Amino acid sequence: MDGRGLFLDLDGTLADSLTALKGVYRSFLSGFGATGDEAEFQRLNGPPLAKVVELLKVSHDLPGEPADLLEQYSVMLRQAHATARPAAGALELLNYARSRGWKTAIVTSSPRSSALKWLELGDLSGQIDTVVGGDDVTSGKPAAEPYMLALARLECSAVKSHAVEDSRIGARSAIAAGLNTFALSDPADRSGWPDGVVFVQRLGDVLERLPAC
């Protein structure tokens, strides 16, 4: 496997969706009379959706079966994705990668169906070669499995490929799989971020730092 790849997280990275997802988080909890906070929302930015719901059930003592709660959250998530637009610079970055023959992938903790629907709504399906969702793997982010699966599907070399993430958990997953990793963040507190990430503030900065061949 010696191909080059550009692998992107979805929410908060390729999709400008964090505001909508924060609304889902708050609305989901309020339906049970519970209240969330910014710190918890940020901690839950990255893990697979099933893990997010599991953690919310425990921390807020939510009633109901985990499978039912997951389905409820999934429906709300799909609705939120329907309103999210591509992040600034997303199309330019994808066009750059495609023009150089690189393979492209979304590697997300959201369900694969949600990512595919978002691509369809945004007319971006033709720009992405594969999607790895949180429901495609046994061990989600921060484990390496999601990125390892994307590499295998596209027959790409990790050392020749690049990942773009916006969370500590996502960056740890990409680094664990051996990819060159950009962190779409410029935090004052860099604790918890893996060694080797390159911090950038926008997708345009990623475009400027990618190799030309």
Side-chain angles (χ1 to χ4, degrees):
M1 299 192 298
D2 60 0
R4 291 177 180 266
L6 177 65
F7 301 158
L8 301 110
D9 176 50
L10 180 61
D11 295 308
T13 302
L14 191 62
D16 186 11
S17 56
L18 283 188
T19 298
L21 295 190
K22 193 177 296 184
V24 169
Y25 160 76
R26 288 173 174 163
S27 296
F28 177 77
L29 289 178
S30 68
F32 298 97
T35 303
D37 57 48
E38 180 66 21
E40 181 179 60
F41 176 77
Q42 292 300 332
R43 288 196 302 273
L44 298 177
N45 179 18
L49 187 58
K51 183 65 175 178
V52 169
V53 173
E54 175 188 326
L55 292 170
L56 289 176
K57 177 175 173 58
V58 172
S59 61
H60 296 277
D61 194 24
L62 302 181
E65 294 298 320
D68 295 333
L69 294 173
L70 177 58
E71 177 59 24
Q72 181 180 343
Y73 207 112
S74 296
V75 170
M76 297 172 71
L77 184 67
R78 287 194 292 270
Q79 293 170 343
H81 275 151
T83 68
R85 306 306 305 159
L91 188 57
E92 292 82 357
L93 182 59
L94 290 173
N95 284 339
Y96 179 91
R98 304 289 282 182
S99 70
R100 282 151 180 79
W102 294 16
K103 297 294 185 179
T104 54
I106 286 178
V107 183
T108 176
S109 293
S110 293
R112 186 170 185 270
S113 60
S114 292
L116 291 171
K117 185 64 175 178
W118 182 82
L119 288 171
E120 180 184 343
L121 290 171
D123 198 25
L124 289 174
S125 298
Q127 297 289 90
I128 299 293
D129 293 303
T130 195
V131 171
V132 174
D135 49 349
D136 285 324
V137 296
T138 301
S139 299
K141 299 176 184 179
E145 185 182 350
Y147 279 99
M148 296 297 292
L149 179 56
L151 287 165
R153 283 182 179 176
L154 299 182
E155 298 184 341
C156 286
S157 163
V159 298
K160 294 181 179 179
S161 298
H162 301 265
V164 188
E165 282 279 356
D166 73 310
S167 70
R168 290 172 171 83
I169 287 174
R172 286 162 57 192
S173 175
I175 289 288
L179 282 84
N180 305 291
T181 303
F182 293 98
L184 198 61
S185 177
D186 190 13
D189 178 12
R190 297 190 176 184
S191 62
W193 289 94
D195 293 337
V197 298
V198 176
F199 291 95
V200 295
Q201 296 190 30
R202 56 190 179 88
L203 291 180
D205 296 334
V206 176
L207 180 57
E208 293 171 2
R209 292 169 182 253
L210 287 177
C213 59

